[in-house]
Amino acid sequence: MDIKENYTAIKNQLPADVQLVAVSKTHPVEAVQEVYDLGQKVFGENKVQELMEKHPLLPQDIQWHLIGHLQTNKVKYIAPFIDTIQSVDSEKLLAEISKEAGKCSRTVKVLLQVKIAAEESKFGLEIQDAKTLFQQYIDGEFPNVEIKGLMGMATFTDDEDQIKREFLILKQLFDELNQLKSLETLSMGMSDDFPTAIECGANSVRVGSAIFGRRDYSK
Ligand SMILES: *Cc1c(COP(=O)(O)O)cnc(C)c1O
């Protein structure tokens, strides 16, 4: 399978109202360009350094999403151009994004990343902290960000019931916060679990290896 076949197959599986974020981390700009030329405009990267290298080499109308853990001291580098930061996992980070976005006279879209996986390794806000942060946002504390929704990653497991349970926890929180102030985006699901995520209410999925092929971390 090549990238074009992969991309077309994924697009054909996605309902029309589900957004695809093509996760291009570790893959060269030529591969990103190839998918862009097929009509894809939304791409995700997980590292600021890699995003900074790719951004100037690719079409300027790409909507870049940062999906990996973001350190506050790196926000300033991406604030001028980032479309959405999906990985907001602390109040400190949200405050920094709002500050740096303000300096660029921008409003940056963000998702709150919530920890739903059982694994210790995954980043994300605890449910209660996400609620508190959303209330602070409603109260006007972060004027230069727009919280668009929630992002979460399920446990890396073959146990489909567990994955479903975790996704449904995030869907429930999404519905609850949506009552307070309307939200648009529920970002759940990757190459291996996006059909399950969509079943559980995701309307945005982050797909990397199923489009670009396996990542080679040895390089
Ligand atoms: C790498 C990554 C993805 C994509 O993973 P694939 O399994 O390659 O589809 C999605 N979300 C996040 C946060 C990632 O870091």
Side-chain angles (χ1 to χ4, degrees):
M1 290 272 273
D2 65 3
I3 287 181
K4 180 173 180 187
E5 283 175 44
N6 291 346
Y7 177 74
T8 309
I10 296 284
K11 285 297 279 184
N12 287 340
Q13 284 177 68
L14 293 180
D17 58 350
V18 173
Q19 178 191 49
L20 173 63
V21 178
V23 177
S24 50
K25 64 188 188 200
T26 77
H27 296 286
V29 287
E30 292 75 20
V32 181
Q33 184 71 50
E34 188 178 343
V35 175
Y36 175 89
D37 291 339
L38 297 168
Q40 180 69 21
K41 291 278 157 68
V42 185
F43 290 88
E45 287 283 339
N46 70 334
K47 293 206 166 76
V48 168
Q49 178 69 35
E50 188 172 345
L51 178 54
M52 296 297 292
E53 285 166 17
K54 284 175 176 169
H55 170 250
L57 304 175
L58 285 157
Q60 292 305 298
D61 65 341
I62 286 183
Q63 295 159 35
W64 290 105
H65 285 217
L66 192 83
I67 61 171
H69 181 64
L70 175 58
Q71 290 172 300
T72 46
N73 62 355
K74 295 197 174 151
V75 171
K76 57 180 177 288
Y77 301 119
I78 59 171
F81 69 88
I82 197 78
D83 180 80
T84 300
I85 298 173
Q86 294 207 3
S87 43
V88 172
D89 57 5
S90 73
E91 178 187 344
K92 188 171 155 228
L93 179 59
L94 191 59
E96 180 70 10
I97 295 168
S98 185
K99 187 181 106 196
E100 291 297 329
K103 284 189 197 167
C104 307
S105 306
R106 297 188 70 208
T107 300
V108 168
K109 294 179 265 185
V110 305
L111 306 182
L112 300 183
Q113 180 175 357
V114 179
K115 184 170 155 51
I116 50 172
E119 293 155 303
E120 266 312 310
S121 60
K122 302 241 157 110
F123 287 103
L125 294 154
E126 299 294 337
I127 303 249
Q128 189 51 52
D129 295 337
K131 288 182 188 176
T132 306
L133 198 51
F134 193 61
Q135 188 59 54
Q136 287 172 267
Y137 163 71
I138 291 174
D139 293 341
E141 273 191 44
F142 312 103
N144 286 82
V145 298
E146 185 181 356
I147 297 182
K148 284 279 185 190
L150 304 177
M151 185 270 263
M153 282 164 99
T155 302
F156 185 70
T157 173
D158 288 335
D159 183 349
E160 176 135 352
D161 287 336
Q162 181 179 356
I163 294 174
K164 244 183 224 173
R165 271 199 308 278
E166 292 174 356
F167 283 152
L168 288 173
I169 290 171
L170 197 60
K171 167 68 167 135
Q172 193 185 345
L173 179 64
F174 180 87
D175 290 342
E176 198 179 317
L177 299 184
N178 189 44
Q179 302 281 314
L180 302 174
K181 185 173 174 27
S182 110
L183 293 175
E184 273 174 31
T185 308
L186 181 55
S187 171
M188 318 190 283
M190 323 194 337
S191 292
D192 290 335
D193 58 15
F194 75 84
T196 309
I198 293 168
E199 246 180 78
C200 296
N203 61 10
S204 184
V205 295
R206 311 174 308 272
V207 179
S209 40
I211 297 171
F212 292 99
R214 277 191 53 213
R215 285 181 290 276
D216 181 0
Y217 285 109
S218 64
K219 284 186 285 192

